[in-house]
Amino acid sequence: MSPTGPFTYQALPMRVTMGAGAVAGLADELDRAGLRRVLVLCSPRQEHLGHAIARLVGDRCAGVHPHARTHVPVATAKAARAHARDVGADGCVAIGGGSAVGLGKALALEPGLPVVAVPTTYAGSEMTPVWGLTENGRKRTGRDPRVLPVSVLYDPELTVDLPAHVSATSGINAVAHAAEALYAPDTSPVVALMAEEGVRALHRALPAVVADGSDLDARAGAQYGAWLCGACLGATTMSLHHKLCHALGGTLDLPHADTHTVVLPHVLAHNLPAAPRARAALSRALGGVDDPAAAVWELGRALGAPRSLRALGMKKESVGEIVGAVLAAPYANPREVTADGLTGLLRRAWAGEEPVAAGAVHRPGRG
């Protein structure tokens, strides 16, 4: 037996190009994928980037669809599918963050259009076969290799206008992917290496990105970290953190990356006592700290990220609803999740208190 013990690692069939000016190779990527008529997907806020992509691909652009929304409402997906059908698109280019990539995944799922992704945030969802659709206050997720982009172009020059707040929260969102991959039941030594390196890269890059948005080296480092962290999520099973964030986002329509940023330190405080290898890897990646949960909390504070679910618009009385939604669906997690433990975790996250392990004495933190 190998020193690491038996494990399985499934590589994902994707092509990744990274570097300043990478988007100039978009036409070549479309050629590789055999795409001749693509619909450009983006959010309303990034419509200018959508039109820039349209100009770049020229006659191969079937139109710009600037209607991507957080959590991919089913109605939004249906409208995009109808638009793609009406213009005869044979593929999509998704430019932007998780909303645009998520909408691209919806079109890859049905009617099966290949997607080329051009990420402009650091969430890393473009590297995963995980899709999500929201309807009637519930976010439904699944895994399907068909939703993986056929090609991903990481170009730090496209991120220089990204607000510091979005850089910070999308980066910590990526850290969450790696953290959960470290204690997933189907993790492997390969995933563990990628996760630790991804967190290390983001921990180094994000303060520089927030301090100087024009620092292309820092932005490239953040994209590198996001790529690795996203690939980890794509290769492993999601646990408590992602279940919580999906429930909070789908039920309460809280902003995606902000929610991940607030919740992650609290979930780490709950789970890491039962996951010593994950704790050790995160400790190393975060600079040799003793308490990774506290280090992630402090990273968010230093980056000016939101501190509480209350600040994101959640009402305190919604805690019970979220607890019920999370406990209703079974999932793998390294530590038992009880109603009392989850209630305490959510109340601390709602109030903006410092993260503590379930059952431990805690003290209010800075909001």
Side-chain angles (χ1 to χ4, degrees):
M1 186 175 71
S2 72
T4 60
F7 68 90
T8 298
Y9 172 69
Q10 177 70 52
L12 299 176
M14 306 179 67
R15 174 179 165 84
V16 173
T17 301
M18 185 171 293
V23 74
L26 178 57
D28 292 337
E29 298 305 313
L30 297 182
D31 285 340
R32 283 178 176 271
L35 301 178
R36 294 291 177 265
R37 189 166 175 80
V38 294
L39 182 63
V40 178
L41 307 174
C42 59
S43 68
R45 188 177 65 83
Q46 295 193 306
E47 186 172 359
H48 64 291
L49 286 178
H51 286 289
I53 291 294
R55 291 190 295 272
L56 188 62
V57 301
D59 292 342
R60 279 191 274 196
C61 180
V64 176
H65 188 79
H67 304 296
R69 285 189 56 200
T70 304
H71 307 303
V72 195
V74 167
T76 299
K78 288 181 176 178
R81 289 164 177 164
H83 189 176
R85 182 181 61 249
D86 291 345
V87 299
D90 64 356
C92 301
V93 175
I95 181 164
S99 298
V101 173
L103 185 56
K105 289 180 176 183
L107 270 66
L109 195 65
E110 180 190 336
L113 298 182
V115 179
V116 174
V118 186
T120 62
T121 69
Y122 307 123
S125 61
E126 64 280 352
M127 293 305 300
T128 81
V130 178
W131 56 267
L133 292 167
T134 302
E135 187 174 28
N136 298 325
R138 292 292 181 269
K139 187 169 185 176
R140 179 168 54 96
T141 63
R143 300 176 74 94
D144 193 315
R146 292 178 298 167
V147 308
L148 284 168
V150 295
S151 181
V152 181
L153 297 172
Y154 289 102
D155 189 335
E157 293 180 347
L158 295 178
T159 70
V160 294
D161 293 330
L162 192 66
H165 167 86
V166 181
S167 295
T169 57
S170 67
I172 296 178
N173 184 7
V175 170
H177 301 335
E180 290 234 298
L182 283 166
Y183 53 64
D186 49 357
T187 194
S188 73
V190 178
V191 168
L193 286 169
M194 291 192 298
E196 184 173 335
E197 175 66 3
V199 174
R200 183 178 294 110
L202 283 161
H203 182 246
R204 290 172 176 169
L206 289 176
V209 166
V210 169
D212 179 6
S214 65
D215 187 338
L216 285 183
D217 287 341
R219 289 199 174 275
Q223 286 188 319
Y224 168 68
W227 163 51
L228 291 172
C229 293
C232 292
L233 177 65
T236 56
T237 301
M238 292 183 289
S239 298
L240 174 61
H241 173 79
H242 284 83
K243 296 297 181 180
L244 257 176
C245 290
H246 289 162
L248 288 163
T251 303
L252 306 179
D253 198 28
L254 300 188
H256 182 78
D258 297 59
T259 302
H260 277 270
T261 299
V262 171
V263 170
L264 179 61
H266 299 279
V267 174
L268 291 180
H270 181 277
N271 277 343
L272 290 184
R277 289 186 181 179
R279 180 188 177 100
L282 288 173
S283 294
R284 292 190 298 268
L286 294 167
V289 299
D290 292 328
D291 185 348
V296 172
W297 168 265
E298 287 301 322
L299 176 62
R301 181 194 60 76
L303 297 177
R307 317 302 288 141
S308 70
L309 294 175
R310 174 173 53 186
L312 302 185
M314 179 181 174
K315 298 183 183 302
K316 190 174 184 179
E317 52 266 32
S318 297
V319 167
E321 180 183 9
I322 300 302
V323 169
V326 171
L327 293 179
Y331 51 87
N333 198 64
R335 185 174 182 181
E336 181 184 9
V337 179
T338 65
D340 287 345
L342 190 53
T343 298
L345 185 160
L346 278 171
R347 285 177 175 169
R348 289 190 292 276
W350 178 84
E353 297 174 355
E354 292 186 23
V356 297
V361 176
H362 69 278
R363 55 192 176 88
R366 286 162 290 192

